[in-house]
Amino acid sequence: MHKRYVVLIIVSVIVCLLVWKISSSYGLFNQGFTGENIVSGDKWSVNIVEVGEIETTGGAIIDKEVSTIGTTLSFGVSLFEVGDAISFDFTVENTGKLDAELYATTLAGLSSLESEVITYEIIPLDYVVIHEDEKDGSIIKNGERQSFRITVKYDENVSLNDNREYNLGLGSTIIYKQK
């Protein structure tokens, strides 16, 4: 039963990532991103470039190290009791020639029942440069970076009667749009 649950989570994360990839490609096409910009020398390249050290609280264990592809990351964690948590920072860099604007963040891997006892969030930490011409720190230009923190926590408000082990395969995507 436990192996089926893990396989189901992994398959769910993969399906979510595939759906996201297809929808984001369709979105770029509908926004007029036809590839002509690439021919003219402009380049779109926004990627996760750094993942910080994972901090654990309580008995939390990292089952699968953080892996990244573009602006998507995935990892596995086990939380055994109320208060267990993991958190880590990661950095996204724009190495392209086109400005990128933070559009959305996504979280995948928790069922609706799990989300009642597990807190899973991603928050922007700081924007390395606040632009003079753009007072919006959500825009990163060539060579600039943005940092985020992911936290996964077994909610302390859960009654001890509900206490059980959670083995989670989680993922997140930072979505930028061309500015």
Side-chain angles (χ1 to χ4, degrees):
M1 184 68 171
H2 174 71
K3 287 184 180 182
R4 279 193 213 159
Y5 186 72
V6 171
V7 169
L8 180 61
I9 288 173
I10 291 170
V11 169
S12 298
V13 169
I14 291 171
V15 168
C16 288
L17 290 174
L18 287 174
V19 168
W20 171 81
K21 189 68 174 168
I22 291 169
S23 66
S24 64
S25 298
Y26 181 75
L28 286 174
F29 179 74
N30 280 342
Q31 290 178 5
F33 191 81
T34 62
E36 293 173 15
N37 292 350
I38 295 171
V39 174
S40 68
D42 289 344
K43 180 181 170 192
W44 177 261
S45 182
V46 181
N47 298 293
I48 295 172
V49 292
E50 186 177 298
V51 176
E53 192 170 320
I54 298 173
E55 302 164 11
T56 60
T57 303
I61 297 174
I62 299 300
D63 296 327
K64 178 184 164 226
E65 290 298 319
V66 178
S67 63
T68 64
I69 297 175
T71 58
T72 299
L73 54 82
S74 62
F75 58 99
V77 62
S78 289
L79 305 174
F80 300 97
E81 58 186 41
V82 172
D84 286 357
I86 66 108
S87 62
F88 61 90
D89 299 342
F90 66 94
T91 303
V92 177
E93 182 176 23
N94 182 357
T95 57
K97 295 181 179 179
L98 303 170
D99 292 349
E101 181 177 11
L102 179 61
Y103 180 71
T105 59
T106 66
L107 302 170
L110 285 182
S111 70
S112 58
L113 292 175
E114 291 167 337
S115 64
E116 292 178 11
V117 293
I118 304 295
T119 304
Y120 180 25
E121 65 181 355
I122 180 169
I123 56 169
L125 287 178
D126 62 337
Y127 301 113
V128 175
V129 175
I130 302 295
H131 310 289
E132 303 263 340
D133 56 334
E134 303 265 355
K135 297 296 182 190
D136 182 0
S138 68
I139 297 171
I140 54 174
K141 296 182 178 185
N142 174 276
E144 294 178 348
R145 295 176 167 210
Q146 291 181 330
S147 296
F148 299 87
R149 175 171 280 259
I150 284 188
T151 303
V152 182
K153 185 174 185 177
Y154 201 139
D155 193 343
E156 294 170 337
N157 297 318
V158 174
S159 86
L160 293 178
N161 294 336
D162 296 330
N163 199 9
R164 70 179 193 100
E165 178 180 334
Y166 288 91
N167 300 299
L168 307 167
L170 303 173
S172 180
T173 300
I174 309 301
I175 302 170
Y176 287 91
K177 63 180 181 178
Q178 184 178 336
K179 180 70 180 160

